[in-house]
Amino acid sequence: MLRSGHGPTKHPDGGQLVRILLVASAFNSLTQRVHAELRERDHEVGVELALGDDLLRARVARFRPDLILAPMLTTAIPEDVWTEHPVFIVHPGPMGDRGPSSLDWAITEGATRWGVTVLQAVAEMDAGPIWASVGFDVAPCGKSELYRNEVSDAAVEAVLTAVRRFASGDYVPEPLDYDRPDVTGRLRPFLTQQVRRIDWATADTATVIRTLRAADSQPGVLDELFGREYFVHGGHHEDRLRGEPGAVIATRDGAICRATVDGAVWLPQLRPRRVPGGPVTFKMPATDALGADLPAGVPEVPVSPAEAAVRDTWSELRYHEDAGVGYLEFAYPGGAMDTRQCRRLLAAYREACDRPVDVLVLGPRRDFFSNGIHLNVIEAADDPAEESWRNINAIDDVVEAILTTTDKLVIAALAGNAAAGGVMLALAADHVWCRESVVLNPHYRLMGLHGSEYWTYTLPQRVGPEVAAQLTSRTLPVGARAAARVGLVDKVFDGSTERFRAQVRREAEILAAAPELQNLLLAKKQRRAADEAVRPLAQYRAEELAHMHRNFFGDGESYHRLRRDFVANTKPPATPPYLLG
């Protein structure tokens, strides 16, 4: 079977090491996590984006992999590649499931149990011999959130099992056999917009939510609002508001609330349908996308973070307390935080700091912690440079507030991934705790930015100047375990998102009840004063923002081009050098 590479080699601990080429349509969250997990186990890993058959053939010839692994692929591997090299495909469905809309169908049909299967590439799509399959319970959430959590966990387990079996040299994969009772999947067609369509006059809330979740974050559900067509992204329950089915009855923090026959749902993001030959469109806060088409009489219906925590309604911010610990939860689509969201978070943080608790936990229950400034909102602004400047200053204000909090222990709890300024937001806390599945991208260079969020203060202080330089220049993802080894994070917890929250809660309560807590707070205050005397935070901020101002407003800077390409999902002509290894 090992026709092209060198063959697995022995690891010092007795395991087998494999030279693996990851082939993916994008270096997305799952591909990054698989990359990090394989490197964590000392396998030699390369990456090739699926940008053309000839490019793939050339990379395979140069890299000479023992195994080709496709964690996320929307195109077929050429026949001459999979006949000459072992190619494993990661399919987000249980054994026997086939087709391009696996998770979409699972959510649409209300499946409670699903799976991920690693199978070998053959001529018939998704029908090859099975190397591993792992099941999981389907959480009640959107497809993208499910993908980054339960699917990702199952996929990593399945990939590691398949690679271990491959490396052993003696495992025989199982052929797909629909007569077996454990083969529960089937061939399903592409899930079209015709099937996804919502009839607001007849559909109940449960149906609407299920339909929206099955299309989140791509492709969205095509719908019509005020005479224009939009793709709707995301959907959340509303427990109180009611109105005529289909009517937009409220707004809140950029989202719109639309009535159903038996309730209402919140729609956070819309993407205008692209006109043939027109400019690329992208997801935006719903009220921004609607613009002047949104009737003036639709009321803004706010909800406080504390009230949101005890209701079944949509809110980006929730706050609750338990056993002397305050929990400020925030959740933003895609992890991006625009200027307004940063200002709302800052206000909520200041309110939390006024509460009589000594320990404060920051972070969402599931999914992204933060990915920094909101490139889509910036791209849509009348002046993207000015909006970039407002956005970076707004997130800096949040980080500064955390850094200067000296009367509480602040914990950043990362249940999901973080990148760029989102990583540095977490580093402002006293403790950074991660779920083991988390992937961090502590760098800005891929967007042509120097970066801010006080990273020149917090990052070297945590990991030292040399490691800080490596992390910000190599532009590769860092898994949670590797991050802990270099001091980027303090604790890593295993298990599901629910288990992570329980572990965070237990450890935070221990801190809150510790006899030495007041001594810890006193030491924190003294350290902040000593650091301020050596070099004020304002100086770090001013120097970082001087670089960022050049990035935003200077001639010849790459940021605006890179941002446009990112927002438009422009494919590069070849795999970027930083992925070549």
Side-chain angles (χ1 to χ4, degrees), residues 319 321 347-357 360 407-408:
Y319 179 79
E321 295 174 1
Y349 179 80
R350 287 172 171 164
E351 288 181 8
C353 285
D354 288 338
R355 297 292 303 160
V357 294
L360 186 58
D407 61 342
K408 300 184 191 301

Side-chain angles (χ1 to χ4, degrees), residues 316-567:
E316 294 171 331
L317 298 166
R318 298 177 187 273
Y319 179 79
H320 62 97
E321 295 174 1
D322 191 24
V325 180
Y327 298 86
L328 178 55
E329 300 173 359
F330 48 87
Y332 304 109
M337 303 163 61
D338 69 27
T339 302
R340 297 158 297 186
Q341 290 167 321
C342 291
R343 290 171 178 168
R344 291 192 292 266
L345 176 58
L346 177 60
Y349 179 80
R350 287 172 171 164
E351 288 181 8
C353 285
D354 288 338
R355 297 292 303 160
V357 294
D358 292 323
V359 177
L360 186 58
V361 177
L362 307 178
R365 287 182 173 272
R366 295 167 54 92
D367 215 7
F368 289 118
F369 182 81
S370 171
N371 286 325
I373 60 177
H374 202 310
L375 300 178
N376 286 26
V377 171
I378 290 169
E379 181 65 19
D382 292 336
D383 187 334
E386 288 289 351
E387 180 55 33
S388 299
W389 185 247
R390 285 190 289 268
N391 201 165
I392 198 65
N393 275 280
I395 195 170
D396 276 4
D397 290 344
V398 177
V399 175
E400 181 184 12
I402 299 170
L403 287 171
T404 55
T405 299
T406 57
D407 61 342
K408 300 184 191 301
L409 285 182
V410 182
I411 300 164
L414 280 67
N417 299 346
V423 177
M424 308 314 167
L425 173 65
L427 297 190
D430 303 299
H431 302 275
V432 181
W433 298 347
C434 286
R435 192 162 85 91
E436 65 177 351
S437 64
V438 163
V439 175
L440 303 175
N441 280 278
H443 50 79
Y444 302 84
R445 291 183 62 187
L446 296 181
M447 203 49 59
L449 295 174
H450 172 271
S452 193
E453 293 95 2
Y454 297 87
W455 78 264
T456 54
Y457 169 63
T458 57
L459 187 60
Q461 193 174 68
R462 272 190 163 269
V463 303
E466 184 177 344
V467 174
Q470 293 173 357
L471 291 172
T472 52
S473 63
R474 291 190 64 214
T475 64
L476 285 174
V478 181
R481 299 288 180 190
R485 283 197 299 273
V486 299
L488 189 62
V489 306
D490 302 299
K491 288 186 178 182
V492 177
F493 298 114
D494 60 7
S496 66
T497 54
E498 291 77 14
R499 177 175 167 80
F500 174 72
R501 295 303 297 183
Q503 291 172 314
V504 166
R505 196 162 50 244
R506 182 182 66 247
E507 294 292 327
E509 289 176 4
I510 290 172
L511 279 175
E516 65 272 20
L517 176 60
Q518 294 308 313
N519 289 334
L520 293 174
L521 292 173
L522 177 61
K524 173 183 178 177
K525 187 173 185 177
Q526 292 170 338
R527 283 195 306 272
R528 176 81 285 280
D531 286 352
E532 188 71 11
V534 172
R535 190 181 186 194
L537 283 178
Q539 186 175 343
Y540 288 98
R541 178 167 179 162
E543 291 182 2
E544 290 174 359
L545 288 178
H547 287 286
M548 295 293 276
H549 193 274
R550 284 192 294 273
N551 295 152
F552 296 153
F553 296 98
D555 294 334
E557 293 287 328
S558 61
Y559 160 69
H560 294 291
R561 172 181 56 82
L562 293 171
R563 185 197 66 247
R564 285 192 295 270
D565 287 346
F566 176 85
V567 170

Side-chain angles (χ1 to χ4, degrees), residues 97-156:
D97 181 82
R98 298 168 58 199
S101 303
S102 179
L103 290 177
D104 309 59
W105 282 113
I107 297 171
T108 297
E109 296 180 347
T112 58
R113 185 77 179 165
W114 207 242
V116 175
T117 302
V118 177
L119 45 89
Q120 192 157 349
V122 295
E124 194 173 359
M125 191 70 72
D126 300 331
I130 296 166
W131 282 84
S133 189
V134 174
F136 62 87
D137 293 331
V138 179
C141 62
K143 179 179 64 173
S144 58
E145 182 179 325
L146 185 72
Y147 182 83
R148 287 187 290 266
N149 287 279
E150 285 78 9
V151 173
S152 178
D153 291 348
V156 166

